[in-house]
């Protein structure tokens, strides 16, 4: 009986030691992993303000936000109508144009193809929106995927109109 | 070796092991017969392995954020300290890790000196160790340059200028080291590259160091050759592994104290001032672990001779196995050597102390006496002692001294050690 | 042998506990209570906020703090201004940005992500404006001076009439704690120099203490986390050591050798 007790106690010490050791190793490894996450200075650069007063209808500008291109397109009436006339069934990633813009005239989205991250070319492709030269994805005038390997529409970042001429992204 | 006929139990294991005998190696390492009387001074081999790996891992991480450019280096270190997630922790571990590494290596070296581990048949292990130590100094020196503070810059200037002492080609070598006419951007980038490379060279040498150790096996406090495996040995795993782990943890507590509560105490305040080629700090002092050699350098009035003396102080260790003529390894059985051993330890500490003081007056005098003694220890005391010293009787096996009176001294020392460790636990 | 051992131990303790530096002056630093020292040391928030006020209203005219950003003022472990307060502080400074789409540089109010605005464009400009002396950047000053916080605190209060045997040039002042006793910065603090927004009386000592605390934080912004993590790590290591010790005892009980 007492020998069994002894054994149990030994097993307990071994297990406790091993567990405590494993916890420590885990805790020591975490800083080494976390150091690769965005640091405090990168996180602080979360928003960019853009002056859009000089963009004419039909024109599009590209600004950099968090190191990525953001397309700001001032759409013509024709382009807006084209984007809104499409029925949702035709779309690979159904989304209304109204849900993708804050003001119909201004389309703001991340200029990154959702396939593998290339930057699509504007006013190109079969739907007069954007065309990604890497693997041939076609986007319409609302930046929605219509044809090609990309799985979803181009992403719309968080943004607000500070006034008629200024957009704050992020 | 006893494990050469090891065969894995499983079929897959056998198939793999026939092609790459990793399992044989693992088996050799776990079963490796180790003298059972190794004391805690023998745990520093494991501690040093830990130090090396810690430096490599934290260094790798720091290199992801550090910028080797004279205009940006200082700022990039501040960026690590302020913004990078856990950057302050990683950098403090790396910076204090260097000091802990040297602390451990000095204990390791002085353990070897005490127990005569450098003597036949372990000369190659010893020499590999000295090369590792030299590379450690090179790595530490170059690493200290990287933050591009005042001490970095002026330390680099002073050390690289040592080479200008060489007649005829000295100036050329210095210019070549700098890649310019002063320590500047080319110097920084090459130091960064070499600082990154050297630890891996050290790692390779450590493998050779351990390989060379596993041929004759460990020395032990009694200093006699033992039958392996036998009653006098225990398998490396789990006996030595767990003991090394325990010692490593105690070491880590000291390490952690420095990292979290005194991270800058071993460094120099001037290194938080960005490098300025136009202003030399009032006192240029190397890191503590290089101070004894710095003292030797300064104790010689001639530039070239000073440099030679400094390098000789390290290189003399290479021929130590042949300078020590005594057949008895362990100082336990060498009553006179034991005293000289402690005088040498004291001498090196004195050198370290005066190395931090201004090279003038009494300090300079002490430095000269201590330097002379340092060389005398190796060149005169050791060879002569081998001839004249009357050593105590040596036991025939490790098990014997436990019964015989002659080795009570060893036991006494070891029991003290345990007490100390218990105290630090509670 | 015993005697040798004793000498050795005495020497070792002297060696370990003596300060490696050589300080020219023997003047001991002025003493004050620092909340950030010790195992659980933390910054005094109110003091940090006042310290920032001293910095902007007194020091910032000459001294930059180039490694600090306005966002740091709202970060945990620092002065902990609210994000709104920090934004307002930032917005009161103008920074140069650009080039804009016309290729021109322009100024705008600073944002949280901006670094502290410098008083001078570069080192040369600062020297020119200060009689050849360069007012050092203060971001890591508390770590860049032997004696750290105590030294800075003492220096700020260490201005005095020079002893008769010391002659001072124009624009050079006598300070008990400065290396060589000569300093090119005139005494920056005087009683009632500023009006603290929290109503604390702005004595010289108070301001010196607040700005020193602020500088200590700016040099070591993660000090609080470091202390907290350190305590946990060491407690953990001690517990694990005890467990490993017990395991070791168990394992070695199989052989008769003592460890």
């Amino acid at each position: 009986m007492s020998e069994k007790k002894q054994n149990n106690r030994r097993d307990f010490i071994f297990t406790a030691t091993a567990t405590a050791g494993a916890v420590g190793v885990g805790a020591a490894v975490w800083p080494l992993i976390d150091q690769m996450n965005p640091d405090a200075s990168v996180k602080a650069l979360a928003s960019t303000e853009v002056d859009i007063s000089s963009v004419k209808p039909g024109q599009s500008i590209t600004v950099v936000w968090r190191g990525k291109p953001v397309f700001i397109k001032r759409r013509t009436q024709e382009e807006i109508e084209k984007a809104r006339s499409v029925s949702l069934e035709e779309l690979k990633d159904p989304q209304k144009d109204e849900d993708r813009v804050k003001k119909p005239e201004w389309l703001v989205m991340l200029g990154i193809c959702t396939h593998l991250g290339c930057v699509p070319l504007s006013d190109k492709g079969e739907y007069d929106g954007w065309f990604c030269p890497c693997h041939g994805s076609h986007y319409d005038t609302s930046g929605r995927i219509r044809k090609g390997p990309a799985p979803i529409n181009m992403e719309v970042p968080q943004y607000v109109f500070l006034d008629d001429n200024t957009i704050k992204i992020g | 070796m006893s494990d050469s006929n090891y065969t894995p139990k499983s079929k897959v294991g056998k198939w793999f092991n026939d092609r790459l005998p990793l399992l044989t190696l693992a088996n050799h390492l776990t079963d490796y017969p180790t003298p059972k009387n190794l004391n805690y001074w023998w745990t520093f081999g494991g501690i040093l392995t830990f130090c090396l790996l810690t430096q490599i891992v934290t260094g790798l991480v720091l290199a992801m954020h550090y910028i080797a450019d004279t205009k940006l280096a200082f700022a990039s270190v501040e960026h690590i300290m302020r913004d990078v997630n856990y950057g302050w922790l990683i950098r403090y571990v790396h910076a204090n890790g260097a000091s802990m590494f040297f602390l451990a290596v000095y204990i390791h070296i002085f353990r070897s000196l005490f127990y005569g581990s450098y003597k036949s048949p372990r000369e190659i292990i010893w020499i590999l160790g000295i090369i590792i130590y030299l590379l450690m100094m090179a790595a530490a020196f170059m690493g200290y340059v990287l933050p591009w503070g005042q001490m970095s810059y002026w330390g680099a200037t002073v050390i690289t200028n040592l080479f200008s002492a060489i007649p005829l080609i000295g100036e050329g070598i210095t210019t070549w080291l700098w890649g310019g006419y002063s320590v500047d951007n080319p110097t920084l980038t090459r130091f960064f590259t070499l600082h990154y490379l050297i630890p891996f060279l050290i790692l390779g040498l450590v493998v050779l160091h351990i390989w060379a150790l596993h041929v004759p096996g460990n020395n032990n406090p009694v200093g006699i050759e033992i039958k392996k495996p036998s009653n006098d040995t225990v398998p490396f795993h789990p006996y030595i592994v767990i003991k090394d782990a325990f010692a490593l943890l105690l070491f880590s507590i000291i390490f952690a104290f420095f990292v979290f509560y005194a991270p800058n105490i071993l460094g120099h305040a001037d290194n938080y001032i960005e490098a300025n080629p136009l202003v030399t700090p009032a006192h240029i002092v190397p890191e503590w672990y290089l101070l004894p050699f710095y003292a030797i350098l300064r104790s010689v009035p001639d530039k070239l001779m000073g440099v030679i003396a400094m390098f000789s102080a390290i290189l003399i260790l290479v021929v130590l196995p042949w300078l020590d003529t005594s057949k008895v390894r362990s100082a336990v059985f060498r009553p006179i050597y034991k005293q000289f051993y402690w005088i040498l330890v004291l001498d090196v500490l004195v050198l370290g102390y005066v190395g931090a003081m201004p090279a003038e007056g009494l300090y300079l005098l002490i430095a000269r006496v201590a330097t002379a003694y340092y060389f005398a220890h190796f060149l005169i005391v050791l060879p002569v002692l081998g001839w004249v010293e009357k050593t105590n009787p040596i036991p025939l096996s490790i098990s014997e001294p436990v019964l015989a009176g002659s080795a009570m001294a060893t036991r006494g020392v070891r029991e003290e050690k345990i007490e100390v460790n218990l105290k630090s636990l509670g | 042998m015993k005697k040798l051992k004793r000498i050795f131990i005495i020497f070792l303790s002297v060696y370990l506990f003596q300060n490696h530096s050589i300080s020219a002056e023997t003047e001991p630093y002025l003493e004050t209570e620092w909340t950030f020292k010790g195992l659980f040391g933390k910054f005094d928030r109110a003091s940090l906020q006042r310290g920032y006020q001293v910095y902007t209203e007194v020091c910032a005219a000459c001294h930059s703090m180039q490694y600090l950003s306005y966002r740091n003022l709202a970060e945990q472990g620092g002065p902990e201004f609210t994000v709104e307060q920090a934004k307002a502080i930032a917005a009161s400074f103008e920074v140069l940005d650009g080039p804009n789409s016309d290729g021109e540089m322009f100024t705008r109010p600073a944002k949280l992500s901006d670094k502290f605005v410098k008083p001078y464009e570069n080192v040369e400009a600062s020297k020119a404006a200060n009689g050849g002396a360069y007012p050092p950047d203060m971001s890591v000053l508390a770590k860049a001076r032997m004696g750290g916080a105590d030294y800075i605190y003492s220096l700020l209060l260490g201005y005095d009439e020079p002893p008769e045997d010391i002659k001072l040039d124009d624009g050079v002042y006598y300070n008990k704690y400065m290396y060589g006793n000569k300093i090119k910065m005139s005494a920056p603090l005087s009683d009632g120099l500023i009006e603290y927004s929290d109503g604390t009386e702005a004595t010289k000592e108070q301001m010196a203490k607040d700005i020193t605390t602020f500088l200590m934080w700016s040099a070591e912004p993660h000090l609080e986390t470091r202390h907290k993590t350190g305590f946990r790590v060491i407690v953990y290591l001690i517990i694990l050591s005890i467990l490993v010790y017990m395991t070791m005892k168990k394992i070695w009980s199989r052989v008769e050798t003592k460890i």
Side-chain angles (χ1 to χ4, degrees):
Chain A
M1 184 64 198
S2 72
E3 198 175 295
K4 206 176 171 189
K5 234 182 200 169
Q6 193 90 31
N7 271 343
N8 280 343
R9 202 182 135 225
R10 182 164 68 203
D11 288 349
F12 170 73
I13 290 171
F14 286 0
T15 318
T17 310
T19 315
V23 169
V25 170
V29 165
W30 173 243
L32 300 172
I33 296 169
D34 192 37
Q35 53 87 18
M36 279 168 62
N37 277 319
D39 65 47
S41 62
V42 173
K43 283 184 200 148
L45 292 173
S47 65
T48 311
E49 283 171 27
V50 187
D51 178 12
I52 50 170
S53 56
S54 56
V55 184
K56 294 184 183 67
Q59 263 191 342
S60 143
I61 59 166
T62 307
V63 296
V64 179
W65 174 66
R66 286 184 174 173
K68 293 185 277 199
V70 173
F71 294 153
I72 301 173
K73 165 118 184 170
R74 187 169 183 180
R75 299 189 293 186
T76 58
Q77 207 51 44
E78 188 190 343
E79 282 168 331
I80 297 168
E81 272 160 26
K82 202 167 172 190
R84 302 209 158 171
S85 61
V86 183
S87 76
L88 287 183
E89 286 92 71
E90 285 178 48
L91 297 174
K92 192 170 177 181
D93 176 16
Q95 204 175 14
K96 278 197 200 156
D97 183 63
E98 287 85 337
D99 297 336
R100 291 178 57 79
V101 291
K102 293 210 164 131
K103 290 182 184 176
E105 203 179 10
W106 295 98
L107 175 64
V108 180
M109 63 184 182
L110 281 185
I112 290 181
C113 177
T114 55
H115 180 217
L116 292 170
C118 296
V119 179
L121 306 168
S122 57
D123 300 319
K124 292 259 164 46
E126 293 173 21
Y127 298 87
D128 300 323
W130 285 266
F131 170 70
C132 181
C134 290
H135 305 93
S137 293
H138 298 259
Y139 296 89
D140 64 14
T141 53
S142 185
R144 291 172 298 198
I145 180 66
R146 301 298 287 272
K147 191 182 170 187
I152 54 172
N153 305 333
M154 279 197 265
E155 196 188 325
V156 177
Q158 278 206 341
Y159 68 93
V160 282
F161 283 88
L162 294 180
D163 54 54
D164 280 350
N165 290 326
T166 319
I167 298 180
K168 184 181 164 197
I169 305 168
Chain B
M1 259 178 265
S2 60
D3 43 37
S4 55
N5 45 17
Y6 163 81
T7 39
K9 285 187 192 93
S10 75
K11 245 185 173 173
V12 180
K14 193 178 175 318
W15 178 89
F16 182 84
N17 201 51
D18 285 346
R19 283 150 185 81
L20 180 67
L22 271 187
L23 295 172
T24 303
L25 178 67
N27 178 259
H28 162 78
L29 292 176
T30 51
D31 285 359
Y32 172 66
T34 320
K36 65 180 180 184
N37 63 335
L38 295 187
N39 56 39
Y40 280 96
W41 300 114
W42 256 267
T43 58
F44 281 86
I47 288 172
L48 282 163
T49 313
F50 167 79
C51 287
L52 177 62
L53 295 178
T54 306
Q55 290 306 87
I56 289 180
V57 170
T58 51
L60 194 77
V61 165
L62 290 173
M64 293 181 187
H65 304 281
Y66 172 75
I67 302 168
D69 182 300
T70 53
K71 288 197 177 62
L72 301 168
F74 191 87
S76 74
V77 172
E78 276 310 307
H79 169 66
I80 291 169
M81 293 298 292
R82 286 160 195 279
D83 296 334
V84 173
N85 304 321
Y86 295 102
W88 60 271
L89 175 61
I90 294 162
R91 172 163 178 263
Y92 277 156
V93 168
H94 196 71
N96 287 284
S99 280
M100 300 314 286
F101 204 159
F102 275 95
L103 176 67
V105 93
Y106 282 128
I107 294 174
H108 196 60
I109 291 172
F110 275 98
R111 188 269 291 153
S112 183
L113 290 176
F114 189 83
Y115 293 107
S117 304
Y118 50 87
K119 291 186 194 184
S120 170
R122 298 184 179 82
E123 300 94 325
I124 297 292
I125 312 174
W126 171 256
I127 292 170
L128 283 166
I130 298 298
I131 300 173
I132 292 172
Y133 173 52
L134 273 172
L135 284 175
M136 275 173 64
M137 288 203 271
F141 158 64
M142 292 189 208
Y144 199 54
V145 175
L146 303 184
W148 208 244
Q150 275 289 65
M151 278 293 155
S152 303
Y153 182 86
W154 292 100
T157 302
V158 168
I159 299 292
T160 47
N161 263 316
L162 290 180
F163 293 92
S164 71
I166 304 166
L168 300 174
I169 53 168
E171 289 294 328
I173 289 180
T174 316
T175 312
W176 174 75
L177 282 173
W178 289 340
Y181 301 101
S182 64
V183 174
D184 209 336
N185 207 48
T187 328
L188 179 61
T189 48
R190 67 191 56 180
F191 277 17
F192 178 53
T193 315
L194 293 174
H195 181 70
Y196 205 121
L197 168 72
I198 290 173
F200 296 98
L201 297 182
I202 293 177
L203 190 64
L205 285 164
V206 165
V207 171
L208 295 183
H209 190 68
I210 295 172
W211 186 1
L213 169 70
H214 280 224
V215 176
N218 287 74
N219 183 27
N220 63 73
V222 184
I224 53 170
E225 287 304 315
I226 50 171
K227 226 175 129 247
K228 285 164 276 228
S230 72
N231 260 349
D232 284 345
T233 66
V234 288
F236 189 76
H237 180 78
Y239 295 95
I240 303 299
V241 169
I242 191 72
K243 193 170 161 183
D244 279 358
F246 177 60
L248 175 60
L249 281 166
L250 297 186
F251 183 80
S252 306
I253 292 173
I254 302 169
F255 195 162
F257 174 80
F258 278 109
V259 168
F260 293 105
Y261 292 110
N264 296 305
I265 205 163
L266 297 168
H268 200 290
D270 277 313
N271 224 29
Y272 280 106
I273 304 172
E274 194 169 0
N276 182 351
L278 304 178
V279 181
T280 308
H283 308 286
I284 300 192
V285 184
E287 293 286 78
W288 69 268
Y289 40 81
L290 302 176
L291 286 173
F293 300 103
Y294 193 59
I296 292 175
L297 171 78
R298 296 191 310 177
S299 70
V300 183
D302 181 71
K303 185 174 177 185
L304 178 60
M305 290 310 290
V307 174
I308 290 175
M310 186 182 72
F311 282 108
S312 308
I314 303 163
L315 294 178
I316 203 167
L317 296 174
V318 174
V319 289
L320 173 63
W322 295 277
L323 289 173
D324 185 350
T325 52
S326 176
K327 294 278 177 291
V328 178
R329 286 201 194 101
S330 174
V332 173
F333 306 105
R334 299 183 63 190
I336 306 177
Y337 172 71
K338 202 192 280 179
Q339 306 214 10
F340 278 109
Y341 170 83
W342 287 109
I343 295 173
L344 177 74
V345 174
L346 198 65
D347 185 61
V348 172
L349 289 175
V350 167
L351 279 171
Y353 179 78
V354 291
M357 295 293 135
E360 58 197 27
L362 187 62
Y363 292 127
L364 191 58
L365 182 71
I366 296 173
R368 288 188 175 152
V369 172
T371 301
Y373 182 79
Y374 180 88
F375 286 103
H377 175 89
F378 292 104
L379 295 173
I380 301 167
V381 173
L382 286 187
V384 172
L385 219 51
W387 299 108
V388 302
E389 186 178 30
K390 194 177 169 301
T391 55
N392 292 341
I394 300 164
L396 296 169
S397 77
I398 291 176
S399 311
E400 192 205 10
V402 181
L403 307 166
S406 63
M408 285 311 282
T410 345
R411 268 188 87 201
V413 168
R414 282 170 43 217
E415 276 161 6
E416 256 176 51
K417 228 45 62 48
I418 294 168
E419 267 178 42
V420 169
N421 285 329
L422 280 171
K423 271 181 205 150
S424 56
L425 270 175
Chain C
M1 190 64 207
K2 263 205 173 133
K3 209 170 163 191
L4 195 65
K5 231 178 199 170
R6 201 169 302 144
I7 296 172
F8 179 73
I9 289 167
I10 290 168
F11 186 85
L12 194 69
S13 35
V14 170
Y15 185 76
L16 286 177
F17 293 108
Q18 73 109 25
N19 200 339
H20 272 226
S21 69
I22 324 120
S23 44
E25 69 278 89
T26 43
E27 193 75 46
Y29 295 131
L30 297 177
E31 271 177 38
T32 185
E33 293 268 311
W34 299 117
T35 57
F36 50 80
K37 289 201 169 164
L39 241 55
F40 305 99
K42 280 184 176 164
F43 291 112
D44 173 351
R45 300 280 162 246
S47 182
L48 279 179
Q49 298 199 355
R50 287 195 299 269
Y52 174 71
Q53 200 187 337
V54 177
Y55 170 69
T56 28
E57 293 185 20
V58 183
C59 321
C62 303
H63 292 275
S64 59
M65 287 189 101
Q66 57 177 333
Y67 299 117
L68 263 72
S69 306
Y70 294 107
R71 67 185 153 83
N72 296 139
L73 293 172
E75 276 166 10
Q76 240 195 353
E80 296 188 5
F81 286 105
T82 62
V83 176
E84 275 60 43
Q85 283 172 322
K87 274 185 178 165
I89 289 172
S92 67
F93 296 92
E94 289 275 304
V95 292
L96 192 67
D97 199 353
N100 61 16
S101 49
D102 298 326
E104 272 154 28
M105 302 303 279
F106 58 94
T107 55
R108 58 163 174 80
K111 294 188 283 197
L112 286 182
S113 58
D114 285 310
K115 297 266 188 231
F116 274 24
V117 171
K118 296 185 200 177
Y120 304 104
E121 290 257 311
N122 48 52
V123 175
E124 282 68 25
S126 72
K127 276 186 184 168
N130 289 284
Y134 158 58
D137 183 84
M138 300 212 299
S139 321
V140 276
L141 198 70
K143 286 197 290 189
R145 294 292 179 276
M146 193 71 66
D150 293 321
Y151 167 78
I152 293 175
Y153 178 74
S154 305
L155 182 105
L156 287 170
L157 301 172
Y159 286 86
D160 210 341
E161 286 302 313
E164 286 182 6
D165 55 329
I166 292 186
K167 275 210 169 142
L168 297 173
D169 296 335
D170 256 5
V172 179
Y173 306 88
Y174 180 82
N175 192 303
K176 277 189 280 186
Y177 301 96
M178 181 76 185
Y179 180 70
N181 297 128
K182 289 177 185 175
I183 187 166
K184 286 204 171 179
M185 172 173 75
S186 61
L189 302 176
S190 55
D191 287 333
L193 179 67
I194 63 173
E195 208 167 294
Y196 277 131
S197 49
D198 67 355
T200 308
E201 198 190 337
T203 60
K204 258 202 312 197
E205 286 74 19
Q206 184 66 46
M207 286 188 284
K209 190 170 178 172
D210 291 341
I211 184 65
T212 307
T213 305
F214 181 73
L215 290 181
M216 191 62 219
W217 164 74
S218 77
E220 200 61 20
H222 297 293
L223 179 137
E224 290 187 10
T225 327
R226 175 155 63 74
H227 285 172
K228 219 167 25 185
T229 317
F231 182 72
R232 287 184 195 150
V233 167
I234 288 174
V235 166
Y236 165 79
L237 285 173
I238 289 171
I239 292 171
L240 188 62
S241 302
I242 294 168
L243 284 171
V244 169
Y245 180 77
M246 279 157 48
T247 306
M248 179 174 76
K249 278 284 175 198
K250 282 281 166 205
I251 289 174
W252 277 78
S253 66
R254 296 172 202 160
V255 282
E256 82 281 20
T257 310
K258 278 193 171 185
I259 40 160

